[in-house]
Structures are given as C-alpha cells and as structure tokens.
C-alpha cells in the first residue's frame, strides 16, 4: 500500500485530536464504507494510540475494516465485541492479551461469516463455553487460543471447524482423546498440542508448538518443518515409519532429555537450520555432527565444555549465529572454532570463562557482526611474560573484524587504554560497556567511531566536564549513561541542548521524562520486551499480575518518587506499594551485583529477590 | 472570464470554484484528468475527455464545503512546498469526508 | 452524470448504506465498458473523466476490483482482436502503415484508460500482484496482435523485405521502419529480438555470404575492401536510423564475419593485389583500409602482421645473403635503412602506428641483420663512409637524422662488440688521416653510443679524441720551444697515441731517412722531457709525408705519400736506380708492406713516380726501380697514399673475428665470477642463463664457450664442483 498522503494524514490527526474532535465527526455518520481499508486502519490505530477509541465509536468502522489488531488493549470487553460483531467485512481479529475478554464477549461474534482469523491468546477468561461460540464461526481458518482457560473438552469441540488450518493450543491441558477428535480437521497445518500419536493423521503438519506440554514422545510427521518442544520432557521425537520430516527449526529450550541418544535419532538433522537447546539437559553433542545446514545454534546454559566444541567444527560451514553463553567453554574452545566458522555473524559468549586469549581467536572470524562478550574474564590486556610493564591491548584483534557492528563488553574488566583499538572499527554501531573503572577517556576515545549509533557506558566514572567535552559521532542516537552517578541534571541537559539528536538514558533523565509519559508509553519502554507493571487508572489498589517485572531503571527511578503510594502520581509513574511486601514479588532483571546503588539503600525494609529471570514460553 | 491557466471545480450542489491550474494539479487525479492525451496532429483523433475541452470538472460526490476545503488545501500545499511552513487547520467535523475526498482525488 | 449519486453526500443525513449488491457492480461495469469502447472508437470527447474515474473508484472501493480488472482484460482483448483483423486486411504496402497507425491509437487509448482506472492501478493491482494497466495493454497488444499468426509472419517478412530492398539500393520509408521497430522494443526486448532481430541477422548473414562470394570472385583485394567498408558503414547507418542501438554490434559482427573473416586469407594472399603487393606498391590507402577492417575481426591483424613479417624477413634475408650486394657495404647498409624507412612509413600512415606491428618489424630486422656475421663490420663501414664524405655539407639536423638511423641499426645487432672493434679501427684511421667531415658529428655519434651502451663502450673511443687534442697541444708546445732549431729542415707533425685506446697494431719499424731521424729525436727528447715514465715508439706503418719532388723537365709536384713510401722515395735522392733487394735492405720495411708500397708508387696509373723494370703489376724480388723523370700529372699535389679503409678480405676478417672471440673470454669469465660471488652456489643451467642475460647487451655468448670458461675457472680454483651434484658449482672465496 502506498503511504498516506499529507492531507489524509492531517485529517486523521485532526480527527484524533481530542475527545471533542471525535465527538464532532462521530455525530455525522455511522459508517465509513467509502473509506478504503487501509485508511480505516490508520484512523483506528491513531484512535487507539490516543486512547480515544470506545465501543460505540467502533460502529463507524463497521463497513470498512477488514482486520483489527487490539492486542494488549485491556479495555476491550464485551461491549466492544458487541460492536465488532456488526462489522461487515471483518476478516481478522486479534484480541491477544485482552484480559477482559470472556465467554459472553465472544458470543457477540457468533455467526460472523467473514471472520477467518481469531487470536485469543492469553485471554484467560475464555473457557470451553467460549469455544462453543467460536465453533459457530464456520469460516474460521486460523485460531490461536494458547494459554486460555480452555480445557480438553473445549478443544474437542473445535473439530467442527472444518476450514481450520492454523491452531495454536499452547499450554492447554489437551488430552489424547480431545486430540483424536481433531483428526477431522484435515486442513490443519499448524497445531500445537499434546498427546501426539494422533498427529500422524496430520500429514501436512508443518509447524508444531509443544512448549510446556507433557509430550514425551510422538510419531513421525513427514511434513514437519518447525518443532517447538521447549520445557518438555523429551523421550523421542518423530519416531515412526515414513519419510523423515525435513525439520528446519527445532526449539528445545529448557527441555529435559530422557534418552539423549535416541531423542534425535529420527530427525532428519541434515536439513535443520535452527537448533535451540538452551537451558536443556543435553550433555552429549554428537548429534550435532550431521547438521551441516545449521545456521543458528543456541547452546546457552547447556553443560558443555571445550571438548564438545569439536562437534561444532564439522557443522560450522553455514553457521551464522552461535550462542554459547553460560556454558563452560573457554578460550581454548574458541580457538578450536577458528577457521571453521567462515559465515559466523553473531557470537555470544557472555557469562563464560573466556579471557583475552579468546579475543585473538575471535579476531580471526571474518564475518562477525555482533559479538557479545559481557560478563567474561576479558581484561583488555595480556601481560607479556617477562616484561610486566609492557601490556598489549587484546582488543586489537577485533580490528580484523571489518563487519563488526555490535560489541558488548559489559561486566568485563576492560579499561580506557585497552579500548583504543576499537576506534578503528569502522562499522561499529552498537557498543556496550559497563565497568566501574571506565572514565572520561573512554568517551573521548569513542567519539571517533564513524558509525556509532548506540553507546552504553554504564557505571562509569564520568564527570560533567567529560560529558561536556565529548563530541559524539554524528550518527549517535542513543547514549546510555545509566549508573554514572557523578553526572548531574545540568550536565545532561546541557549535552542534550548541544546534541538534540541524541537520546540520553540515565536515571535522572528517566525521571524527568516520566512526568510527561502516560502509562501506555511506559509500557512500551521496557527493555526486554516484557511488560511493565500494568495499572488500571480506575482502580486504586495494586493488581496482582502474574508477572510483575521491574527493570533496573524503573527501580532506580523509585529513589526519586515518594513512597506514600495510595495515590499514584498524576502522570502515572510507577510506584508500587512498597510497604506491602508480602503482596509483592519482585523479579528483577540484569542486576549486576545484587545490590542496589545509592538511592534505594535507605529503603531498608524492602526485601528484594535478586537475579531471577523469567520468560514467557516463546511462541515460535 | 476564464483564463487559460485556471480550472473550474463544481461541487455536487453546483457551487463553482475557479482555481489556478497549478493548485488543482496538487491532486493527481485532476492532474491526470487535465493532461490526458490530446489530439494527435496528423490524424483525425478527437482525443481528450470532455473536461479537457471545457476546462471544468464536476464532482457529483463532493459537497461544496469539502470542495472548498480541498481547494484551500491545494493552495496551502503550494505554499508549503515553497517553504512557508504554516498550519493547516481541519475542523473535526470535516475530517472524515475530507479524508474520503482526498483519497478519491489522490491528494 | 448518474443520478443515483445525487443523494450520496450530504453531511446531515444518516447513512445506513445499503449493502452494495452485485447488480450495482454490473451496472457500473457496463458504464466503464461502454467508455472503453468509445475511447477505442475515438469518441472520448463525449465522456466525462470524472464520472468514469468515480465509477472505477467505487467498484474498487466496494471490493469489485476483480470484476473490473477481468472486464478490462476481456474488453481490451476483444478490441485488439478487431484491430488485428483490420491490420490483416490491409493490402501489401499499406500493412506496415496500418499497423503503425493502430499502434499509436492503441497507445493513446491505453493511456486514457489507465488514467480513468488510476485508482485500481494504485491500490487493487499492487495488492493482488496483478499486471498494471499500462503493461497489461502492451502485453495484450503483443499477444493478440503481434503474435497473431497471420500478422507475425507477415510483419517479419515485410520488415526483412524492406531491408533487402534498401540494401539493393532502393529507398524505403525509414520513418515507418523506425516506428515499427520502436514498437517492438516497447513491447519488450525479447519481442524485438524474436520477431525481428534474430531473423534480420540470419537473413543478413546469408545476404552477405552470397555477396562476399560474388565480390571475391570478381574484385581484386583493394576493390573488395572498399566494398566491404561501404557495406559496413551502410549497416551502421541503418541501425542509427531505424534499429535498436544494441543491434549495431550484432549486425557489424555479421558483416565482419561474412565479408572479412571468411575471406581473410584469400584476400591477403590474393595474387597481384594482396597484402604484399600493396606493401610493395606502397598503396597506403588500401593498406589503411585493410588494417581498419581486419582490426574488427579477431586474428585479423595477426594475419596481416604475420604475412608482413615473413615478407620482411625474406626480403631481409635475401638482401643479406646476396653476394652482389655484399660487395658494397655502404650501399648494403643504405638498402637496409631504406627498407626500414619504407616499413616505418607503412606502419605510421596505414597501420596507425600500431605497436604490435612496430614490434614485429623490429624483431624481423633483428632476425635477419644478425644472419650475416659481417653486419657489424658493414654498418661501421657505412658510418665511416658518411663521416668521411657522405655528410659533407649536410645540415646539422640531417646529420642527426642519419646518425639516429645508424643507431637504430646498431640496436638490432647482437654482436655489438664486433661493431665496436671495427668502429675503433675505422675511427682511428679517420682521425689519423684527418679525414673526418665533422668533429661534431663524430662526437655526437659517440654520445649516442654511450647513451645506448654505457660508459665502458665508448671510453676508449673518447680516449682517441683526447689523444688527438693532446697531440695538437703537444705540437704547439714543441714548435714554440724548438721552432728556431728546425729552420729548413722537414716539418714534423706528431700524433701521440695512448696504446690502450687505439686499435692494436703490431709494432713495426723501419729505417727512417737521416733528415727525419734528427727531428724525430728532437721531438722525442722534448716529449720525454715533459712527460716522465713513458715510452714512445714510432708507428711507421701509419703516418704520411708531403714531399716536394722535382721531375725531369723541372716540374715540381708535391707528393703526399705514406711514411714507408717516403723512406723509399728518399733513397732515390742518392741513386737513380735501386733494386728491390737494396731497397728492402736499407729501409727494413716489412715485406708485404713494402710490396704494397712499391706497387702504389710504380704500378698505378697517374701515380707512377717510379718506374719498374720489368713492367708488371706485381712486385717481384728481382725488380728494379728507377725514378720516373717523365712523370707528369695535372695536379700540383698528388696523393699516393694508402687507400681508405676497405672491407676486409676474408683472412683479415677471420683474424678480426678471432680477436673478438679472444676478447670475449675474459668478459664471460668476469660475468661468471660476478654471478657466483653473489649467489655462492648455482647450477649450470642457471649460470648460463644469468651470464647470457648480463652480456646480451654486448653479444650473445655461446653456451659451449661459457662451459669452457667455467672449466677454466675451476682449474684456476675460482670455482669448484659440488661433491654430490656434478651440475652444481660453488664459489671459492
């Protein structure tokens, strides 16, 4: 679709200016059938963004919308659905994470003959009753109901949706018998399920998500291309007669392998291009040997050491991404890899025991673009034997990487002089550093990097003068100075004035801008793409969400906000009720040393549970 | 009196707006309409549509209010492209219709 | 304006739009279909753009885009079928015209249709990945009209026929052709190629094959080339007028292949008009043409070059092995120069100074000049001739020109050291006899040689010049100090020659007349007085003397004779007749020299100041000589000196050659030692290669000789053989 014209854009903006604006045009017409679909979409998006959308307004779009994406909108409820039910041409409806959707809400969309795709992922309130409604939509082709309240019975009901080709039942307690009844769905292409023998009936199955299920073994599916068995206990995969499936992607994050030798016996590993066995119990890596097409290999948090690296050698030819973080690989292991991974672009070695020797090996991997060396033993220099005073910067090895774009050296002991070689990395655009021994000299050094766009220099000893004197590269957009506690508000705002194109991240800045942000904006700034705390303005109490995550920034921001929390800030800054510890479980990410700095130390009544990372099951 | 470089736009309720051709050409649709191939010299080919001949276009589906706003937009767009950056205000009650008209006129 | 639209847009009213029913779509489509018909029938002026645009817009908006599109395809297709029929119906010559006209009309209509269906083009088509309207129109034209069986073959035939006619001289409508080919190109490069170009090239190939066959039977080389060139230019012009530019290289290829490449050899070898004839007759224009044409063809130039080269070599070889020619060295060398000039001219004017040809010429010369081992000598004789008399009165520039040419020949020589030897000899003679035309010219040549070969080559030669100058100074000094002493005695002029610089001569002596001896002693004392530690020896075999002789009737003549001759003649001051034996005894002149000297005094007409008894050409031991009282000569001054340098007789030549070989030995040895010193250890083949490389600027060493030298050096313990490998040599410090 072509871009919106200037006039149209302005019209939409004007229309979404405020509640009053909306009222004005709303009165005029009840439908917008003369508006092409893409413009309606745009208008709806803008209304959503400005929080101006409400159920009765939906009526306007009755005749012009074909697809609606209301993911994450908590205000969507039965009333909305009522209006949505009247949409004439609605083809695709996405209500994922709309927590207010319940069975009666679904009733509204009964009988919509245009509807082909419905996404109700994580709508907890939807249960079997809701499914009963869904089955009346006989045109449904794609249905996502993972992590809803649907049970096996509900799933069994789905058998009447003859046109179904994509079905996502992740996390549902499906039983074999329920699955049996799904046999009737001959068009099913994508299904995530449990109790798998019956899967043989789906010869065209190409995508299978069995995460978090109890599947231990299941039979051959010769069309299968993607298989996700994360967090399962795996006994055997794809055992059975017939052609071996040309599996392209295999995800087994966090899985437990009962019988490693047999587990992979029946997979046609030679076509596998992605293998993710991070955090799994895999200990023998002989199976890697045949995976010659492998491009993406994730072995993070797996108990492997240097001896297993040899297995990677044989398959290194096509390897583009390699994740060995949190393994027992050392610099020797990396040395073994050199020369065998010509296409390697992305290498992660964070939280391993590698040291500077590894850098020289890394420098010999010519295609590397992204390198993560955070939390390793890299110091940045090697003491030459016999001459204690003469130290070479080991980072010079990285100068050979002519494509290097991103480098993460957080939590290493690299200091200013050792960073010198980096100034000749012409393509470096992202650089992360976090070490208490870094000073202004680092900033100065890095101003010569021609393509730098994102720079993290955290926990460093940066002074106002240093920041003042820093001339950032013209491409710099983000400068993250979290933890540089010497910097003052003035220094930062001075810098911002001089270089308005750069966005600065710092605890102080966070606070300054918090004043102007709405809740929804906060939601989108969380760094790990996990949701921040969700507040409902109308309710004064704390809700009890399943996952409540603060990243470090938010927590540090707390140091500046008052602790009396019965009435949250007008602007909606995040202020949890800290007095109520039992009610609160805090899961923190990325805490470097388990201790909070400065501000929060005074809040000693706070008990924090450190370093637990929690993830949502990946929906592949 | 119709000058050579103007064009007349007529709304559904028969209000007439005479504007410069340059302004009218901000709309791609009008531009196409007015520059649609004319007659070829050597042959007897009555080219061009009625509008090209008469120099006026009737829009039976656009009201006067909207058409007026559209014309204003034309002039504003010309100014904007010449560097004068001002605001173009759109009354909320006009937005929807204006959007549709803009889509129609490919403006 | 359709009335149903009237109630559509009023702001206040409630719009519960009735669902658009299929009938609506059908009605709307009909309107548009009608419009398309009208457009094709040239009735567009009655249509309202806005109305049509709006209808199309509505259809797409209400999701009837598919119907609109397929309707468009159908309608357009049916129109094109009609058009196709009307084109087919056109007779003969009007076919192209009609096609062209209809094409233009179609384009026009297409544009108008596209304009009214613009909304569909913008939105519906990209979304559904269908072909945009304009392209669709072209594709349909291509499929329905051009690829319709009747039209396709006829079109092709007519186009090719037109080309044929033009080739045979008729005038055709180029503008029309242009439009048609442009149409084909607009439809896609493959359309142009498949429907026209491919066949065009085939037909052209046949045409030219035939024509070239005709021509080659009936024309001679030059004419043929002219014709070929003309055809080539014609084709290029044709392309520029009405074909796609990318066809140019293809059609020129065809012409080149058929007209030139296929007959290349025949043309070059053609009797009486082929390449060789052109060269001989200096037909520069024809040669130039041949060059340009053959250049287009791969291996065309190679052919010319090869033929020319072998001809040059043959000519050169002939020249060099022709015994007649070799009798006159100066003329011989001049012939060489003329040959070079001729070919230089050909290369410059006809072959565009092509470097490869220059190289070929050079290598040919190098080849045949060295065929004759006497070439170095001859070249030196040529120079000698020029410097003695040939360059008399010639401007400085022209002198330079001649000398440069000589240098050029010199460069071709492989045995430059032989040349050096001869040159030295000839130069010595010139200097000593004072017969050089221009001192500047001599020096200029020396400089050129120095530039070419380095300092060593010319150091001795320069030494000779220095000696001459020094002698002048010495003589001045001598006369200044001893002027009074001499009085009436003979005037002495001495050239003091440094032994090393001048060509080695055997030291011969003879008995000088007493008068001479005196003054010689005086000089010797003077010289040795000013220069200590030197030895002087009189070279009596060189040198001249001027004698004043009074004959029978009192005629006085001044005789210019050699030293030997002077000794002999002076004897006749005291006696009237002397026998050979007597003369020999007194003068102690070596026999052969004496005989030659007497010969020139007694047996040469006009120079017989002596009479011999018995009268015969040769000198016998028993002859007697008398002073010829009756000698007469027109001139007061008579020259009876020894002749100028001549080409050596065979034995002399052998001798020189031997000397040259001898001189080479130490040079080779020096080279070997130099190399081994640097390399320490080296095998036999490499030594030979290196030595050759080092010495090649002077001469080409014979590997057998090199081997002998190595053995010699081993004997003298400069080198040793490796114990294990017999081919490996080691330097002994």
């Amino acid at each position: 679709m072509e871009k919106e014209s200037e006039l149209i854009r302005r019209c939409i903006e004007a229309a979404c200016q405020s509640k009053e604006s909306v009222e004005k045009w709303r009165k005029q017409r009840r439908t917008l059938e003369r508006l092409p679909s893409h413009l309606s979409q745009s208008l709806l998006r803008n209304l959503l963004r400005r929080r101006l959308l409400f159920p009765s307004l939906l009526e306007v779009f009755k005749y012009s919308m074909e697809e609606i994406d209301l993911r994450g909108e908590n205000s969507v409820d039965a009333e909305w659905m009522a209006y949505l039910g009247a949409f004439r041409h609605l083809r695709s409806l996405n209500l994922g994470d709309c927590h207010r959707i319940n069975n009666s809400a679904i009733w509204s969309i009964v009988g919509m003959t245009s509807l082909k795709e419905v996404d109700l992922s994580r709508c907890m309130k939807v249960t079997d009753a809701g499914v009963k409604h869904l089955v009346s939509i006989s045109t449904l082709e794609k249905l996502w109901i993972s992590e809803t309240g649907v049970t096996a019975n509900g799933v069994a009901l789905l058998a009447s949706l003859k046109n179904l080709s994509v079905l996502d039942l992740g996390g549902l307690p499906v039983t074999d018998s329920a699955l049996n009844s799904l046999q009737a769905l001959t068009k099913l292409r994508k299904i995530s399920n449990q109790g798998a023998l019956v899967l043989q009936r789906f010869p065209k199955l190409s995508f299978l998500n069995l995460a978090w299920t109890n599947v231990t073994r299941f039979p051959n599916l010769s069309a299968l291309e993607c298989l996700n068995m994360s967090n399962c206990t795996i006994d055997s995969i794809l055992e059975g007669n017939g052609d071996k499936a040309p599996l392209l992607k295999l995800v087994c994050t966090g899985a437990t392998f009962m019988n490693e030798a047999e587990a992979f016996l029946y997979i046609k590993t030679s076509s596998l291009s992605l293998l993710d066995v991070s955090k799994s119990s895999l200990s023998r890596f002989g199976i890697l040997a045949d995976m010659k097409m492998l491009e993406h290999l994730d072995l993070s948090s797996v108990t492997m050491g240097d001896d297993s690296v040899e297995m990677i050698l044989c398959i290194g030819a096509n390897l583009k991404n390699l994740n060995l973080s949190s393994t027992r690989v050392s610099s020797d292991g990396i040395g073994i890899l050199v020369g065998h991974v010509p296409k390697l672009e992305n290498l992660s070695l964070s939280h391993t025991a590698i040291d500077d020797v590894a850098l020289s090996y890394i420098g010999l991997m010519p295609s590397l673009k992204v390198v993560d060396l955070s939390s390793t033993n890299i110091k940045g220099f090697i003491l030459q034997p016999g001459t204690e005073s003469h130290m070479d910067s080991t980072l010079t090895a990285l100068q050979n990487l002519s494509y290097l774009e991103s480098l993460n050296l957080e939590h290493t002991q690299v200091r200013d002089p050792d960073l010198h070689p980096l100034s000749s990395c012409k393509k470096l655009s992202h650089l992360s550093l976090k070490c208490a021994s870094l000073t202004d000299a680092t900033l100065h050094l890095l101003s010569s990097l021609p393509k730098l766009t994102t720079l993290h220099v955290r926990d460093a000893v940066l002074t106002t003068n240093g920041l003042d004197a820093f001339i950032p590269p013209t491409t710099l957009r983000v400068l993250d100075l979290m933890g540089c506690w010497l910097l003052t508000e003035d220094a930062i705002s001075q810098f911002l004035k001089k270089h308005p194109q750069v966005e600065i991240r710092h605890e102080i800045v966070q606070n300054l801008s918090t004043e102007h942000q709405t809740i929804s904006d906060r939601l989108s700034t969380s760094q790990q793409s996990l949701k921040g705390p969700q507040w409902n303005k109308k309710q004064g109490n704390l809700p009890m969400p399943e996952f409540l995550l603060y990243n470090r920034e938010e927590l540090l921001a707390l140091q500046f906000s008052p602790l009396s929390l019965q009435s949250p800030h007008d602007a909606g800054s995040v202020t949890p009720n800290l007095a109520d510890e039992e009610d609160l479980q805090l899961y923190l990410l990325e805490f470097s040393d388990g201790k909070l700095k400065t501000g929060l130390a005074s809040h000693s009544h706070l008990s924090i549970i450190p370093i637990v990372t929690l993830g949502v099951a990946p929906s592949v | 009196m119709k000058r050579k470089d103007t064009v007349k736009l007529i709304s559904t309720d028969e209000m007439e707006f005479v504007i410069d051709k340059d302004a009218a050409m901000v709309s791609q649709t009008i531009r196409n309409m007015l520059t649609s191939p004319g007659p070829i010299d050597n042959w007897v080919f009555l080219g061009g549509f009625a509008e090209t001949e008469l120099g006026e276009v009737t829009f039976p589906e656009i009201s006067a209010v909207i058409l007026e706003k559209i014309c204003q937009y034309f002039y504003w767009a010309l100014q904007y492209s010449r560097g004068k950056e001002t605001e173009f205000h759109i009354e909320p009650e006009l937005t929807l219709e204006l959007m549709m008209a803009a889509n129609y006129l490919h403006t | 304006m359709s009335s149903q639209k009237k109630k559509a847009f009023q702001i206040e009213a409630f719009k519960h739009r009735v669902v658009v029913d299929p009938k609506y779509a059908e009605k709307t489509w009909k309107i548009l279909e009608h419009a398309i018909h009208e457009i094709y029938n040239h009735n567009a002026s009655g249509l309202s753009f806005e109305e049509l645009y709006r209808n199309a817009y509505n259809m797409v908006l209400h999701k009837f885009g598919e119907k609109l599109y397929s309707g468009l395809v159908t309608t357009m297709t049916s129109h094109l079928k009609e058009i196709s029929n009307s084109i087919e119906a056109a007779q003969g010559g009007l076919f192209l015209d009609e096609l062209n006209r209809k094409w233009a009309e179609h384009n026009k209509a297409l544009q108008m249709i596209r304009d009214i269906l613009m909304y569909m083009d913008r939105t519906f088509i990209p979304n559904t990945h269908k072909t945009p309207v304009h392209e669709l129109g072209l594709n349909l034209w291509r499929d329905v009209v051009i690829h319709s069986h009747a039209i396709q073959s006829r079109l092709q035939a007519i186009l090719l026929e037109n080309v044929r006619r033009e080739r045979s001289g008729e005038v055709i409508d180029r503008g029309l052709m242009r439009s048609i080919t442009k149409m084909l190109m607009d439809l896609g490069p493959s359309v142009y190629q498949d429907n026209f170009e491919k066949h065009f090239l085939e037909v052209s190939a046949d045409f030219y094959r035939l024509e070239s066959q005709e021509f080659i039977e009936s024309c001679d080389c030059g004419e043929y080339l002219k014709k070929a060139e003309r055809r080539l230019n014609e084709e290029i012009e044709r392309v520029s007028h009405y074909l796609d530019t990318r066809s140019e290289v293809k059609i020129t290829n065809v012409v080149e292949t058929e007209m030139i490449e296929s007959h290349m050899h025949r043309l070059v070898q053609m009797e009486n008009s082929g390449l060789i004839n052109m060269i001989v007759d200096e037909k520069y224009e024809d040669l130039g043409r041949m060059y340009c044409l053959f250049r287009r063809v791969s291996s065309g130039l190679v052919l010319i070059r090869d033929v020319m080269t072998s001809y040059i070599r043959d000519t050169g070889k002939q020249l060099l092995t022709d015994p007649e020619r070799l009798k006159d060295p100066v003329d011989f060398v001049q012939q060489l120069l003329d040959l070079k000039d001729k070919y230089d001219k050909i290369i410059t004017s006809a072959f565009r100074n092509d470097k490869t040809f220059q190289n070929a010429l050079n290598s040919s010369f190098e080849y045949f000049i060295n065929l004759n081992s006497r070439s170095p000598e001859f070249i030196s004789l040529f120079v000698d001739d020029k410097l003695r008399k040939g360059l008399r009165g010639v401007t400085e520039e022209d002198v330079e020109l001649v000398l440069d040419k000589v240098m050029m020949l010199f460069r071709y020589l492989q045995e430059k050291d032989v040349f050096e030897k001869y040159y030295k000899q000839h130069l010595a003679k010139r200097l000593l006899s004072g017969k050089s035309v221009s001192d500047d010219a001599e020096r200029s040549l020396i400089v050129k040689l120095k530039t070419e070969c380095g300092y060593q080559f010319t150091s001795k030669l320069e030494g000779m010049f220095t000696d001459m100058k020094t002698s002048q100074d010495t003589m001045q000094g001598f006369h200044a100090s001893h002027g009074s002493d001499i009085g009436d005695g003979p005037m002495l002029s001495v050239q003091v020659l440094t032994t090393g610089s001048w060509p080695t001569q055997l030291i011969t002596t003879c008995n000088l007349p007493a008068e001479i001896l005196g003054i010689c002693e005086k000089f010797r004392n003077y010289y040795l007085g000013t220069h200590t530690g030197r030895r002087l020896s009189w070279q009596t075999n060189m040198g001249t003397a001027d004698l004043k002789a009074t004959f029978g009737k009192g005629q006085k003549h001044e005789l210019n004779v050699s030293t030997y001759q002077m000794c002999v003649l002076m004897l006749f001051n005291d006696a009237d007749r002397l026998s050979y034996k007597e003369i020999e005894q007194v003068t102690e002149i070596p026999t052969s020299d004496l005989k030659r000297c007497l010969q020139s005094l007694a047996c040469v007409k006009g120079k017989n100041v002596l009479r011999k008894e018995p009268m015969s050409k040769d000198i016998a031991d028993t002859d007697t000589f008398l002073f010829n009282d009756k000698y007469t000569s027109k001139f007061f001054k008579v020259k009876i000196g020894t002749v100028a340098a001549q080409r050596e007789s065979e034995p002399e030549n052998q001798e020189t050659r031997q000397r040259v070989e001898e001189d080479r030995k130490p040079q080779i040895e020096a080279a070997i030692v130099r190399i081994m010193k640097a390399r320490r250890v080296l095998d036999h083949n490499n030594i030979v290669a290196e030595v050759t490389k080092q010495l090649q600027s002077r001469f080409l060493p014979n590997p057998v000789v090199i081997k002998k030298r190595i053995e010699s050096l081993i004997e003298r313990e400069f080198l040793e053989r490796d114990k294990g490998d017999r081919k490996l040599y080691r330097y002994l410090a």
Side-chain angles (χ1 to χ4, degrees), chain C residues 46-61:
Chain C
L47 302 170
S48 158
F49 184 102
E50 196 277 332
E51 181 184 346
L52 297 171
Y53 179 83
R54 187 168 18 97
N55 277 306
Y57 178 84
N58 282 334
M59 274 191 86
V60 175
L61 202 60

Side-chain angles (χ1 to χ4, degrees), chain A residues 412-440:
Chain A
T412 59
Q413 291 169 49
V414 174
R415 305 155 313 157
D416 302 326
D418 305 315
L419 288 172
H420 242 300
L422 288 184
S423 50
S424 44
C425 291
K426 293 277 171 260
K427 285 210 167 166
L428 200 60
S429 60
H430 290 71
L431 179 61
S432 298
L433 300 165
K434 185 172 181 173
C435 176
S437 40
L438 296 175
T439 68
D440 292 335

Side-chain angles (χ1 to χ4, degrees), chain A residues 378-402:
Chain A
I378 289 181
K379 294 200 185 69
F381 63 87
I382 288 187
L383 278 178
Q384 298 287 10
T387 53
E388 289 209 357
S389 51
H390 178 62
M391 300 190 279
D392 292 330
S393 171
T394 46
L395 290 180
T396 39
L398 294 180
Q399 286 174 329
N400 296 335
L401 300 175
S402 46

Side-chain angles (χ1 to χ4, degrees), chain A residues 1-2 8 27-31 33-39 59 62-66 88-89, chain C residues 8-17 19 24 54 57-58 61-63 119 122-123 126-127:
Chain A
M1 255 315 179
E2 48 181 37
I8 291 180
K27 287 198 209 107
Q28 294 168 348
R29 44 179 11 121
R30 301 284 290 269
T31 56
E33 73 275 11
R34 297 268 311 171
L35 207 56
S37 184
H38 69 284
L39 292 183
E59 205 179 351
K62 204 153 76 162
Y63 289 116
S64 57
M65 294 290 284
E66 289 180 19
R88 189 71 55 182
H89 299 290
Chain C
F9 282 61
Q10 287 154 350
I11 297 184
E12 304 83 350
F14 233 49
K15 249 97 17 222
H16 259 307
R17 189 82 183 187
V19 173
Y24 163 81
R54 187 168 18 97
Y57 178 84
N58 282 334
L61 202 60
H62 294 123
K63 311 196 194 315
Y119 191 70
R122 265 171 58 201
T123 53
N127 280 354

Side-chain angles (χ1 to χ4, degrees), chain B residues 8-32:
Chain B
K8 195 196 285 190
L9 306 179
I10 309 175
S11 74
T12 179
D13 31 3
E14 277 142 28
M15 285 267 284
E16 296 182 352
F17 299 87
V18 177
I19 59 171
D20 295 327
K21 264 208 183 127
D22 288 339
M25 304 273 229
V26 173
S27 152
Q28 289 289 358
T29 308
I30 298 183
R31 180 190 289 258
N32 277 341

Side-chain angles (χ1 to χ4, degrees), chain C residues 19-126:
Chain C
V19 173
V20 180
D21 61 322
K23 287 213 201 88
Y24 163 81
E26 186 60 32
K27 259 193 288 191
T28 318
W29 164 245
K30 279 282 173 254
I31 296 176
L32 287 166
E33 190 182 23
H34 173 77
I36 295 179
H37 282 306
E38 292 295 274
I39 289 175
Y40 269 104
N41 294 334
H42 313 156
N43 272 341
S45 56
L47 302 170
S48 158
F49 184 102
E50 196 277 332
E51 181 184 346
L52 297 171
Y53 179 83
R54 187 168 18 97
N55 277 306
Y57 178 84
N58 282 334
M59 274 191 86
V60 175
L61 202 60
H62 294 123
K63 311 196 194 315
F64 290 106
E66 187 63 51
K67 186 172 171 61
L68 178 60
Y69 190 84
S70 52
L72 172 67
V73 174
T74 318
T75 313
M76 207 183 265
T77 310
S78 79
H79 270 284
L80 288 178
K81 283 217 175 73
E82 269 176 46
I83 290 177
S84 175
N85 289 338
S86 90
I87 296 175
E88 273 174 54
Q91 297 291 347
L94 294 173
F95 176 81
L96 275 189
D97 211 40
E98 183 71 5
L99 178 61
N100 195 25
R101 181 197 301 265
K102 288 285 184 240
W103 163 249
E105 283 176 16
H106 171 69
N107 266 319
K108 184 57 63 85
L110 188 56
Q111 213 173 330
M112 293 170 84
I113 293 172
R114 200 230 12 218
D115 285 342
I116 55 177
L117 298 182
M118 183 64 86
Y119 191 70
M120 178 179 79
D121 229 11
R122 265 171 58 201
T123 53
F124 175 76
I125 282 178

Side-chain angles (χ1 to χ4, degrees), chain C residues 302-317:
Chain C
V302 173
L303 179 64
I304 297 181
R305 207 170 46 230
D306 287 345
V307 171
M308 187 179 88
T309 311
S310 68
Y311 178 67
I312 296 175
R313 285 191 186 203
D314 285 342
T315 324
K317 199 150 73 162

